[in-house]
Amino acid sequence: MPMYKVRPFHGAGGAVLTEQLPTCMYRLPSLHSQRPPAASPPPQPQEEVDPSLQELEARQDLILKRLYELKSAVDGLSKMTQTPDADIDVTNIIQTNDCSLTANGADLDVMLGKDYGALKDVVINANPSLPPLSLLVLHNLLCERYKILSAVHTHSSVKSVPENLLKCFGEQTKKQPRHEYQLGFTLIWKDVPKPQMKFSVQTMCPIEGEGNIARFLFSLLGHNYNAVTSTLIDSWVDTAFFQLREGNSKEKGAVLRSMNAALGKAAWLVGNELTIADIVAWSVLQQTGSANGAPANVQKWMKSCENLAPFSSILSLLK
């Protein structure tokens, strides 16, 4: 008995039998035939939204908003705890103050970069034995342009700080959520040889020196100068710190004569508007006590500075 049965291909007499082979492997309906278009389904009636679902969505939006505020607060605190310049376990918080808002934060986003969910915070360490008056003046000028969250701290390396320095940013006023401010300005009274500043704790090294910090803060005011004016301003800033404050009596006298000559031609040291050169020079004269013996034009210029609110509020620190 055979295992497989196969149909014979040859007939009687050896003739080959014909085999009907398929003409295609698969048969599909034609896509080109004319068919009437299918009728569109009738519009579905809009379903009414369940009020309980709307209430749930509103609660979710409120929770997300609170989480955003919490994230902003935590990010701000992390800048204080992650830097060795502000050890949280040895720092006493003295005060917090806010300043008026006269401009939006678009300029700060362009100059400092947009940082979603975190407040841009400038942290400055300064020695109370030599207060950086120029930085305090610049703080007042920034308060006139932006909404500033100001704070003063005392580091454990300092035994005591005069009361007027603890209130150098004014009395404490109403507090708002941290994310509503445009810039944080934190001053830490600490035993350091020269002022230090950190803006981005994670990515930058500290900026040292009152002059360099003053340049940074003044740039936030958005002033643009040509190359000649910028060079003159930088020259006066360096002269104020390296010769007027740290130089000998001969060098100080030469600087005062140069200032007197420049102020005899214009109302301010560089041009006809207040610049960082005026702020720094006025601060150094106050720090060194050279204001009383200054020439006539310098005396008149100093009174012009003190007639401005950002300067006059700092005079109380010297009493």
Side-chain angles (χ1 to χ4, degrees):
M1 181 177 180
M3 182 177 296
Y4 302 103
K5 288 186 176 181
V6 181
R7 187 176 56 178
F9 289 92
H10 299 82
V16 179
L17 300 176
T18 60
E19 184 69 21
Q20 297 294 329
L21 299 177
T23 58
C24 65
M25 184 174 295
Y26 304 104
R27 292 186 178 276
L28 297 175
S30 175
L31 299 178
H32 303 283
S33 61
Q34 297 294 330
R35 294 184 180 179
S40 58
Q44 297 292 332
Q46 296 183 354
E47 298 181 358
E48 296 183 358
V49 180
D50 190 354
S52 61
L53 182 59
Q54 291 180 337
E55 182 181 356
L56 182 61
E57 291 178 351
R59 290 180 57 190
Q60 182 182 8
D61 293 339
L62 181 61
I63 293 174
L64 292 176
K65 181 180 178 181
R66 291 179 178 176
L67 287 175
Y68 172 78
E69 295 176 357
L70 181 61
K71 180 179 181 298
S72 300
V74 172
D75 289 341
L77 291 174
S78 67
K79 291 186 176 182
M80 297 296 299
T81 59
Q82 292 176 2
T83 171
D85 300 331
D87 306 323
I88 195 169
D89 57 338
V90 293
T91 302
N92 297 322
I93 298 179
I94 303 299
Q95 75 177 90
T96 300
N97 179 44
D98 66 321
C99 302
S100 61
L101 169 65
T102 58
N104 56 36
D107 295 337
L108 283 178
D109 292 337
V110 173
M111 291 182 285
L112 302 179
K114 202 161 188 179
D115 191 4
Y116 294 95
L119 178 67
K120 304 176 182 67
D121 200 358
V122 175
V123 180
I124 297 176
N125 298 320
N127 200 317
S129 62
L130 187 62
L133 301 181
S134 64
L135 306 186
L136 301 181
V137 174
L138 287 167
H139 166 267
N140 292 340
L141 291 173
L142 288 171
C143 285
E144 294 178 354
R145 183 174 179 84
Y146 304 107
K147 192 171 185 181
I148 306 293
L149 175 62
S150 305
V152 177
H153 301 242
T154 300
H155 195 268
S156 61
S157 60
V158 177
K159 294 182 179 180
S160 63
V161 178
E163 186 69 19
N164 56 349
L165 295 183
L166 296 178
K167 298 181 179 180
C168 59
F169 291 157
E171 296 293 337
Q172 184 175 356
T173 59
K174 62 179 182 178
K175 297 174 62 177
Q176 300 178 13
R178 185 178 176 89
H179 72 275
E180 293 185 4
Y181 294 92
Q182 297 170 276
L183 182 68
F185 197 107
T186 303
L187 177 61
I188 303 175
W189 295 117
K190 184 178 180 181
D191 186 12
V192 290
K194 61 180 66 175
Q196 302 170 347
M197 188 204 78
K198 278 191 175 182
F199 168 68
S200 176
V201 176
Q202 304 290 344
T203 59
M204 70 176 288
C205 297
I207 297 175
E208 294 190 347
E210 184 176 346
N212 295 326
I213 300 174
R215 288 184 176 97
F216 174 84
L217 296 178
F218 189 76
S219 67
L220 301 183
L221 296 174
H223 296 288
N224 294 319
Y225 302 104
N226 58 39
V228 175
T229 303
S230 298
T231 302
L232 289 174
I233 292 174
D234 282 337
S235 177
W236 277 115
V237 172
D238 291 339
T239 299
F241 283 113
F242 297 119
Q243 297 183 32
L244 189 58
R245 188 171 73 176
E246 300 177 1
N248 53 38
S249 58
K250 185 177 180 180
E251 291 175 331
K252 292 180 180 178
V255 173
L256 288 175
R257 288 191 295 271
S258 298
M259 291 179 62
N260 192 62
L263 294 170
K265 302 175 183 178
W268 305 100
L269 287 175
V270 182
N272 296 318
E273 65 176 8
L274 179 75
T275 66
I276 186 179
D278 302 283
I279 298 172
V280 167
W282 179 87
S283 302
V284 171
L285 286 174
Q286 295 291 350
Q287 290 172 342
T288 58
S290 305
N292 295 331
N297 291 334
V298 177
Q299 293 277 3
K300 180 181 177 182
W301 162 80
M302 292 195 69
K303 291 181 180 179
S304 298
C305 292
E306 293 163 8
N307 286 335
L308 301 176
F311 290 86
S312 60
S313 62
I314 304 302
L315 289 176
S316 61
L317 303 179
L318 305 175
K319 298 179 181 179

